[in-house]
Amino acid sequence: MTKIGKFFVKIFSFLTISVFLLSSCASKKEVVYFQNTGSFETLVDKNSFTPKFKVDDLISIHVSTLNSEASAPFNLFRGASEGGIRPEQVDYLIDKEGEIDFPVIGKIKISGLSSEEVRALLRDKLSEYLKEPIINIRLKNFTVTILGEVNRPGTYPVNGERITILEALGLASDLTVKGIRENVMVIRDFDGTKVYTRIDLTKKEAMSSPVYYLTQNDVVYVEPNQSAITASSLDNRATIAVSIASILITSTVLLITRN
């Protein structure tokens, strides 16, 4: 290959490397969590978050007493126990009015209440039928959705009654280096009302945020930083430019070698 051909090859390589560098740079300040914490620091959790039930929540409620026959009417099951088949307990869906239809008692409004508050409410209403009932309540459809600049975006089921935003991002294998940690958005729905809240994960004050603890069906969105936006906008242009440069280099080399 002639000197001119080698020159064009160098230009082609330079363009390719430049595009790569422009699309992948990120500073330490952009990717480090809790940057304002000391080397040893104690932070008391003052976040008094208590999960509440919402419309469209699916919950299971099981009532038990020392006398199983007495508590049986307050537990709904489908299927028979014949032939070794264990009956399946029926779950309750909170309707648009925030209510469930409970056996014997009837309609009970539980939207906006915590599981402990629902236990107290049921215990009071069951007091005329049962002595010292034990009430177990569990949310069955607790999921969170993680979108944007994370390694594994998706919707994830949650075991238990609450999860922190850090634990949720851990389910999605953390943010990519192109995710903006200073401005993570949490979209929360409560009975049809959408609330948008932003949280700065580079500061320790994030642990006091009202969205540090997530609720069922929360959506966490991580915005791309400028390098990711630039890379996205350059993708098509870079592909076209590299293709044109490749064609020019190839054509030039062929002409030179023929001459």
Side-chain angles (χ1 to χ4, degrees), residues 107-126:
K107 291 281 188 177
I108 305 174
K109 186 175 180 62
I110 65 172
S111 176
L113 301 181
S114 66
S115 58
E116 188 55 45
E117 289 170 332
V118 175
R119 285 191 191 92
L121 176 63
L122 286 174
R123 197 176 292 117
D124 179 64
K125 291 183 176 295
L126 292 172

Side-chain angles (χ1 to χ4, degrees), residues 121-163:
L121 176 63
L122 286 174
R123 197 176 292 117
D124 179 64
K125 291 183 176 295
L126 292 172
S127 61
E128 61 179 293
Y129 305 100
L130 302 173
K131 183 179 180 180
E132 298 180 353
I134 298 173
I135 303 170
N136 291 312
I137 302 175
R138 183 181 180 187
L139 179 63
K140 302 295 289 292
N141 63 335
F142 193 166
T143 62
V144 292
T145 299
I146 317 296
L147 302 175
E149 285 294 334
V150 293
N151 288 297
R152 289 197 307 127
T155 299
Y156 296 90
V158 177
N159 294 320
E161 292 189 339
R162 68 181 189 177
I163 184 174

Side-chain angles (χ1 to χ4, degrees), residues 64-239:
S64 60
T65 60
L66 294 176
N67 186 347
S68 59
E69 292 184 0
S71 59
F74 301 96
N75 297 298
L76 296 180
F77 290 90
R78 66 167 62 93
S81 57
E82 300 176 358
I85 300 176
R86 186 175 182 179
E88 180 183 2
Q89 185 167 4
V90 177
D91 298 323
Y92 299 89
L93 180 66
I94 302 178
D95 63 23
K96 297 301 181 182
E97 284 69 43
E99 299 176 334
I100 60 171
D101 194 358
F102 201 77
V104 181
I105 298 175
K107 291 281 188 177
I108 305 174
K109 186 175 180 62
I110 65 172
S111 176
L113 301 181
S114 66
S115 58
E116 188 55 45
E117 289 170 332
V118 175
R119 285 191 191 92
L121 176 63
L122 286 174
R123 197 176 292 117
D124 179 64
K125 291 183 176 295
L126 292 172
S127 61
E128 61 179 293
Y129 305 100
L130 302 173
K131 183 179 180 180
E132 298 180 353
I134 298 173
I135 303 170
N136 291 312
I137 302 175
R138 183 181 180 187
L139 179 63
K140 302 295 289 292
N141 63 335
F142 193 166
T143 62
V144 292
T145 299
I146 317 296
L147 302 175
E149 285 294 334
V150 293
N151 288 297
R152 289 197 307 127
T155 299
Y156 296 90
V158 177
N159 294 320
E161 292 189 339
R162 68 181 189 177
I163 184 174
T164 68
I165 191 171
L166 298 178
E167 291 169 329
L169 292 172
L171 294 176
S173 298
D174 202 5
L175 282 69
T176 69
V177 294
K178 296 179 181 179
I180 298 180
R181 286 149 174 80
E182 301 97 324
N183 201 30
V184 177
M185 181 168 62
V186 176
I187 306 171
R188 180 165 295 172
D189 187 304
F190 193 85
D191 296 351
T193 300
K194 299 285 191 305
V195 179
Y196 300 82
T197 307
R198 296 183 181 271
I199 181 173
D200 183 355
L201 296 179
T202 67
K203 306 295 184 183
K204 63 184 179 183
E205 289 77 17
M207 296 183 182
S208 300
S209 168
V211 294
Y212 179 71
Y213 289 102
L214 300 180
T215 66
Q216 59 271 36
N217 305 318
D218 278 357
V219 177
V220 179
Y221 174 66
V222 180
E223 295 182 24
N225 62 16
Q226 189 57 49
S227 67
I229 296 173
T230 301
S232 177
S233 63
L234 286 177
D235 277 345
N236 292 333
R237 297 177 185 177
T239 300

